[in-house]
């Protein structure tokens, strides 16, 4: 049975740990990616990485907004991922 989003807890303590983990992992990943480039290409590589990060963030916000905000036409929430995956209709 699909729960309403309002009935779910706001955050799980593990989410903060995952966020910090990704944050600390990005620094070595960026260093490795830029370290593989010759010094004269470091500016281009940095620009490309920043563009990808900005696009990824905007896409994530758009997908979360589409998945969890109410439909402006009907006022009902859209299906959440577990309901879509299991094929159960929203009540």
């Amino acid at each position: 049975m699909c729960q309403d989003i309002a009935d779910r807890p706001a955050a799980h303590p593990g989410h903060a740990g995952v966020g910090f983990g990704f944050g600390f992992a990005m620094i070595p990943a960026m260093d490795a990616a830029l370290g593989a480039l010759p010094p004269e290409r470091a500016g281009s590589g940095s620009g490309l990485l920043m563009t990808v990060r900005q696009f990824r963030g905007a896409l994530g916000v758009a997908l979360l907004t589409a998945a969890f905000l109410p439909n402006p036409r009907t006022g009902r929430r859209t299906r959440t991922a577990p309901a879509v995956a299991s094929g159960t209709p929203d009540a």
Side-chain angles (χ1 to χ4, degrees), residues 3-60:
Q3 290 180 331
D4 188 28
I5 294 172
D7 296 335
R8 296 182 187 166
H12 188 275
H15 293 163
V18 170
F20 281 117
F22 278 125
F24 285 118
M26 285 303 298
I27 295 170
M30 295 284 283
D31 285 342
L34 292 176
L37 294 174
E40 63 272 3
R41 303 289 301 195
S44 297
S46 176
L48 179 63
L49 285 173
M50 291 300 121
T51 302
V52 169
R53 286 181 65 188
Q54 290 291 320
F55 179 75
R56 183 183 63 200
L59 183 63

